[in-house]
Amino acid sequence: MIFRRAHDADELAGKIVLLDECSNINEFMARDIMRTGAKIVACGDPGQLPPVTGEKFFINPDVTLQTIHRQALESPIIRQAYRVRSNESYRTDGDFFRVLKRGFDAEDLMKADIVLCYTNNTRAAINQHKRNIMGFIQPYPVAGEPVMCMKNSQEYGIFNGAIYNLEETFLPGATSIRIDVDGVSKEIPFVRFHGVKNGLDDNDTVTTHFDFGYAMTVHKAQGSEWANVALIDEYRRSNERREWLYTAITRASESIVITPFPLGYREPPPLPF
């Protein structure tokens, strides 16, 4: 698949583009949008993580929300996110914001709509562990499981980091996958699924890659939201830790449960479950 510009220079002059999650936009992407001639209304949360590559471009806002309204502060998620934003430590805050001294139990993981973490190794381990809890013994994805797209495919309207419901079991030797995309059943050809042997030749052009969708890194989760989140706080570096935690906590709309890795480890300790 080849990505190309959808609009010529100044083609959108006189139009208005509403750009959300602008903290994810680096200079290259911003200038590519600006070349269309459109007026840009960019909004976002400066407390969140910067783009994976490059620096934030929209850093001088015309208007900034300075006051947390009382209704928002009634949410323990907003209260604790605000503490993190202010360089304070998060803490247990009622039944909907829990910090565990032990690891997750099966009930925690089953309630979570998504488990967030930092590394892909942890993500893979969580996917495997939750599948074990659910009784899936097959190494391949079974119809009804959540699967995550790992690479954009504009042609089929699927995107990196998006999670879809698998409609047909992806058996070893398969070359296509059937998923629900916004209520529409779509078959995506020429795909690879992590850890599953498929029928593609080495010379075949791959449309996209998939993996299990029970867990996700916080970087990939930015811009998404779930009702119930479980978070493994494994970000060990001081650089961007505040932004990483703030982004992770604000992915939850109703409840979050966090298990922090113990301090003092040079390497991450065994996974907390």
Side-chain angles (χ1 to χ4, degrees):
M1 181 179 64
I2 299 175
F3 282 94
R4 56 183 179 275
R5 290 191 171 108
H7 302 284
D8 295 328
D10 296 322
E11 184 179 349
L12 298 182
K15 303 290 186 181
I16 297 177
V17 172
L18 300 178
L19 185 61
D20 195 10
E21 299 290 348
C22 67
S23 63
N24 273 323
I25 304 299
N26 61 24
E27 181 176 359
F28 175 80
M29 296 174 65
R31 296 201 181 282
D32 201 33
I33 298 170
M34 293 166 62
R35 66 179 291 279
T36 67
K39 297 291 184 181
I40 300 172
V41 179
C43 59
D45 190 334
Q48 293 189 22
L49 285 164
V52 175
T53 58
E55 302 293 331
K56 296 178 184 178
F57 180 81
F58 297 101
I59 58 174
N60 297 308
D62 297 306
V63 178
T64 302
L65 178 64
Q66 299 284 1
T67 303
I68 304 297
H69 292 278
R70 180 178 60 81
Q71 293 90 338
L73 284 176
E74 290 175 356
S75 163
I77 294 171
I78 299 301
R79 276 197 300 269
Q80 296 307 313
Y82 188 71
R83 286 179 59 86
V84 169
R85 181 84 171 266
S86 303
N87 286 318
E88 298 180 64
S89 298
Y90 58 78
R91 60 192 182 192
T92 291
D93 191 348
D95 293 337
F96 298 102
F97 195 106
R98 294 185 298 129
V99 181
L100 306 179
K101 294 181 179 179
R102 55 173 174 78
F104 298 130
D105 58 23
E107 183 179 353
D108 293 324
L109 290 176
M110 290 302 296
K111 180 182 177 182
D113 300 308
I114 195 72
V115 183
L116 299 180
C117 57
Y118 175 56
T119 70
N120 280 310
N121 285 340
T122 301
R123 179 179 62 82
I126 295 167
N127 278 330
Q128 179 65 49
H129 184 65
K130 187 161 182 178
R131 293 189 81 236
N132 290 343
I133 292 174
M134 299 176 71
F136 292 114
I137 60 174
Q138 306 90 337
Y140 50 83
V142 176
E145 289 196 85
V147 295
M148 182 167 61
C149 177
M150 307 298 288
K151 176 185 174 185
N152 291 332
S153 177
Q154 191 176 37
E155 179 181 359
Y156 293 96
I158 57 177
F159 302 98
N160 181 22
I163 296 177
Y164 303 97
N165 183 66
L166 182 66
E167 294 194 326
E168 295 179 0
T169 298
F170 188 89
L171 294 169
T175 60
S176 64
I177 195 168
R178 182 168 291 279
I179 57 175
D180 181 305
V181 181
D182 297 328
V184 178
S185 179
K186 285 190 178 183
E187 183 174 1
I188 316 299
F190 301 107
V191 302
R192 295 189 186 278
F193 198 100
H194 182 74
V196 180
K197 182 176 177 60
N198 64 21
L200 295 180
D201 296 329
D202 291 339
N203 295 327
D204 287 331
T205 300
V206 178
T207 302
T208 188
H209 298 255
F210 282 90
D211 203 345
F212 294 104
Y214 297 103
M216 182 183 292
T217 64
V218 172
H219 283 83
K220 206 175 276 289
Q222 192 165 354
S224 299
E225 182 181 80
W226 295 267
N228 304 301
V229 170
L231 171 64
I232 296 179
D233 179 6
E234 61 173 343
Y235 195 101
R236 310 306 300 165
R237 299 181 298 170
S238 59
N239 181 40
E240 293 180 0
R241 173 167 169 77
R242 179 181 64 175
E243 290 83 357
W244 186 87
L245 274 175
Y246 178 80
T247 301
I249 291 171
T250 54
R251 298 312 90 201
S253 62
E254 295 182 11
S255 71
I256 186 169
V257 56
I258 305 176
T259 180
F261 274 5
L263 297 177
Y265 279 89
R266 292 184 177 273
E267 298 295 333
L271 290 174
F273 44 69

